[in-house]
């Protein structure tokens, strides 16, 4: 038996074993990092049960893809994890290339690796800024946006966009990098290690930060694997799994970098993994600049993935012959293989996978997206149980979720 005490709260009548009550946090809540609702069962301030509710941002990307060509679907991937849109673009292109057997020139592979790591830094900086703000640190929020703005300017220099890029292409990239872009990126790399030290100086040993993160939200390696965690959430628990290293794609197999690992599996361990990843991303980008080879930026065997115009170019008198558009459609149809494939890449939040079923057409028969944020939100139920309400806010931040790729 319960009695309502507020719009989003109800409390049971005391039954002699203490009072428990329900609290609905969100969906419009600044600490849920998007439109996420969390239904809580509380005993005082201790969480007895936590039930995440997603779906408030549903946009139907997977269904939309069935009615678009492979090339047209690329723009939808920008809107998944819109904090790291470039990494989504690269992941989608790698998956389609694997499905269709398309090769990518070496120069384009290096460029895609470079921009994917720039996207990783952008994502981690926004994560650190908002995660710290959740816990009560204001200054690091401003510091992170200072460097992130430089990278957004570089993206704008590269492709004219700052948030949704659609820069990679199936078989390569849209346009080549310029000397000016490389010079500006090199200047950023020269100052970035010292800026990371500034972030760490602010919070790394701050006693408030340590009390809010050390020993909170602990997940063992076995539990992390059972929950399906990937990215820093998995590596913070000591599991060495990074697709860039273990299943290399683009130029990741040609550069040298380390996979940061934690051991305690708590919020602080996940934080330290991402901070070390900032250093490794800087290291990867520097190698991409130093090793960038000459050559084309789009592969020669990449088909025209946009359907030709089926309207007749010219109809001869007394005939029903169509123009070259339909002939090209018939000739190119055999470029699209039938079958299915699952391809995953390592995006800033974890493993982003695309599962395609192809019936030989120029658009997927079915497409499913394995998004890390959706998996991590589901894990919140197990991680938050037995902890305090304030720890829930810190746990959500440490999982680094974005609802755009969850409600897909």
């Amino acid at each position: 038996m319960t009695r309502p005490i507020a719009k989003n709260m109800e409390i049971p009548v005391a039954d002699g074993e203490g009072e428990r009550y329900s609290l609905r946090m969100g969906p419009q809540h600044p600490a849920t990092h998007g439109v996420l609702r969390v239904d809580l069962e509380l005993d005082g301030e201790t969480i007895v049960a936590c039930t995440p509710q997603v779906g408030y941002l549903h946009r139907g990307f997977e269904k939309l893809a069935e009615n678009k060509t492979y090339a047209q679907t690329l723009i939808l991937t920008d809107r998944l994890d819109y904090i790291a849109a470039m990494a989504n673009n690269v992941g989608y292109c790698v998956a389609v290339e694997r499905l269709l057997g398309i090769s990518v020139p070496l120069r384009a592979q290096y460029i895609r690796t470079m921009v994917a790591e720039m996207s990783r830094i952008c994502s981690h900086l926004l994560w650190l800024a908002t995660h710290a703000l959740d816990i009560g640190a204001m200054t690091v929020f401003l510091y992170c946006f200072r460097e992130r703005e430089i990278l957004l300017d570089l993206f704008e220099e590269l492709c004219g966009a700052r948030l949704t890029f659609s820069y990679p292409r199936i078989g390569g990239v849209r346009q080549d990098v310029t000397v000016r872009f490389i010079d500006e990126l090199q200047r950023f790399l020269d100052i970035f290690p010292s800026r990371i030290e500034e972030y760490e100086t602010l919070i790394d040993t701050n006693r408030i930060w340590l009390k809010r993160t050390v020993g909170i939200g602990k997940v063992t390696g076995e539990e992390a694997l059972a929950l399906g965690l990937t990215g820093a959430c998995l590596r913070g628990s000591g599991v060495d799994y990074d697709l860039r290293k273990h299943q290399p794609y683009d130029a990741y197999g040609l550069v040298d970098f380390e996979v940061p690992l934690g051991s305690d599996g708590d919020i602080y361990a996940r934080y330290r993994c991402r901070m070390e990843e900032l250093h490794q991303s800087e290291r990867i980008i520097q190698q991409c600049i130093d090793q960038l080879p000459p050559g084309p930026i789009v592969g020669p065997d990449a088909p025209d993935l946009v359907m030709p115009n089926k309207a007749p170019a010219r109809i001869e008198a007394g005939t029903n012959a169509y123009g070259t558009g339909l002939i090209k459609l018939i000739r190119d149809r055999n470029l699209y293989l039938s079958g299915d494939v699952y391809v995953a890449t390592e995006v800033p939040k974890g493993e982003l996978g695309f599962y395609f079923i192809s019936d030989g057409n120029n658009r997927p028969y079915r497409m499913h997206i394995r998004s890390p944020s959706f998996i991590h939100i589901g894990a919140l139920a197990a991680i938050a149980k037995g902890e305090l309400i304030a720890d829930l806010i810190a746990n959500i931040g440490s999982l680094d979720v974005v609802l755009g790729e969850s409600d897909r």
Side-chain angles (χ1 to χ4, degrees):
M1 180 177 180
T2 62
R3 63 174 186 269
I5 61 174
K7 183 177 181 180
N8 290 328
M9 186 183 299
E10 57 183 24
I11 185 168
V13 177
D15 56 6
E17 297 180 358
E19 293 186 338
R20 293 187 178 183
Y21 60 95
S22 300
L23 176 67
R24 179 172 296 166
M25 190 181 82
Q28 305 294 344
H29 191 289
T32 57
H33 294 225
V35 279
L36 167 67
R37 193 183 93 194
V38 184
D39 295 337
L40 301 172
E41 295 294 327
L42 303 172
D43 183 0
E45 291 192 19
T46 302
I47 298 172
V48 177
C50 169
T51 307
Q53 305 284 355
V54 300
Y56 291 89
L57 196 63
H58 187 64
R59 290 172 287 176
F61 292 143
E62 294 172 336
K63 190 64 179 177
L64 285 170
E66 298 174 17
N67 299 299
K68 294 181 179 294
T69 67
Y70 288 106
Q72 291 169 338
T73 301
L74 175 66
I75 65 168
L76 299 180
T77 63
D78 287 285
R79 279 82 180 167
L80 293 170
D81 177 9
Y82 39 80
I83 308 303
M86 193 73 83
N88 300 339
N89 294 158
V90 171
Y92 175 79
C93 289
V94 170
V96 175
E97 288 155 4
R98 194 80 54 85
L99 172 69
L100 302 180
I102 299 170
S103 62
V104 181
L106 187 59
R107 182 176 179 85
Q109 292 182 40
Y110 271 98
I111 293 173
R112 295 204 314 203
T113 301
M114 183 191 308
V115 297
E117 290 305 307
M118 290 171 62
S119 185
R120 182 177 302 274
I121 294 175
C122 279
S123 178
H124 282 358
L125 288 180
L126 185 61
W127 159 79
L128 179 60
T130 54
H131 183 39
L133 196 63
D134 288 342
I135 294 178
M138 179 69 183
T139 304
V140 70
F141 178 89
L142 303 174
Y143 279 35
C144 289
F145 269 77
R146 177 186 59 189
E147 276 68 65
R148 186 170 181 270
E149 187 68 18
I150 298 175
L151 288 176
L152 295 185
D153 287 343
L154 284 168
F155 280 135
E156 188 174 15
E157 170 74 20
L158 177 66
C159 61
R162 295 170 62 88
L163 185 66
T164 52
F165 307 107
S166 299
Y167 170 71
R169 286 290 183 270
I170 299 169
V173 293
R174 190 173 81 198
Q175 59 196 42
D176 208 344
V177 294
T178 63
V179 174
R180 176 178 171 180
F181 172 83
I182 295 296
D183 290 343
E184 292 295 328
L185 181 56
Q186 184 62 62
R187 276 191 277 272
F188 171 80
L189 297 178
D190 292 340
I191 66 169
F192 189 54
S194 64
R195 300 300 170 84
I196 300 175
E197 291 180 10
E198 290 184 5
Y199 314 147
E200 294 173 333
T201 301
L202 285 169
I203 58 176
D204 225 25
T205 57
N206 183 291
R207 61 182 181 179
I208 298 175
W209 181 263
L210 295 177
K211 286 184 177 181
R212 295 296 307 278
T213 59
V214 175
I216 308 298
K218 296 192 72 170
V219 184
T220 67
E222 294 77 12
E223 291 170 340
L225 288 171
L227 292 170
L229 301 182
T230 53
C233 296
L234 177 64
R235 294 189 286 271
S237 297
V239 180
D240 186 0
Y241 178 72
D242 189 319
L243 289 165
R244 298 173 299 169
K245 179 71 74 172
H246 297 98
Q247 297 179 24
Y249 53 94
D250 282 344
Y252 283 112
L254 304 173
V255 296
D256 182 49
F257 66 99
E258 298 173 4
V259 178
L261 295 177
S263 58
D264 297 330
D266 56 7
I267 294 175
Y268 189 80
R270 296 191 278 273
Y271 152 74
R272 283 306 313 162
C273 278
R274 291 190 180 97
M275 295 303 291
E276 289 301 319
E277 282 187 13
L278 291 175
H279 286 288
Q280 297 304 316
S281 292
E282 181 267 333
R283 181 179 172 187
I284 292 171
I285 295 171
Q286 185 64 66
Q287 292 176 76
C288 288
I289 292 176
D290 296 339
Q291 301 175 18
L292 186 63
I297 58 171
V298 178
D301 57 347
D304 180 6
L305 297 178
V306 180
M307 288 283 278
N309 185 3
K310 291 187 288 185
R314 182 171 58 89
I315 299 179
E316 300 291 345
T319 71
N320 59 356
Y322 282 78
T324 58
L326 184 58
I327 297 172
K328 187 177 187 302
L329 167 63
I330 297 170
R331 186 181 70 244
D332 285 356
R333 186 176 175 83
N334 60 8
L335 293 171
Y336 302 94
L337 307 178
S338 298
D340 65 315
V341 66
Y342 174 79
V343 180
T345 54
E346 189 75 26
V347 297
K349 292 174 174 55
E351 178 181 326
L352 174 67
F354 289 92
Y355 177 60
F356 291 108
I357 299 177
S358 171
D359 60 357
N361 207 334
N362 72 329
R363 62 196 70 206
Y365 175 72
R366 290 287 187 272
M367 182 183 80
H368 174 66
I369 304 169
R370 191 269 185 207
S371 59
S373 291
F374 182 74
I375 305 297
H376 294 170
I377 289 173
L380 184 64
I383 296 173
K385 187 176 181 180
E387 303 204 342
L388 301 177
I389 299 177
D391 296 336
L392 174 68
I393 305 303
N395 273 315
I396 292 175
S398 76
L399 294 176
D400 189 17
V401 299
V402 64
L403 274 296
E405 68 173 13
S406 299
D407 306 339
R408 59 198 180 282

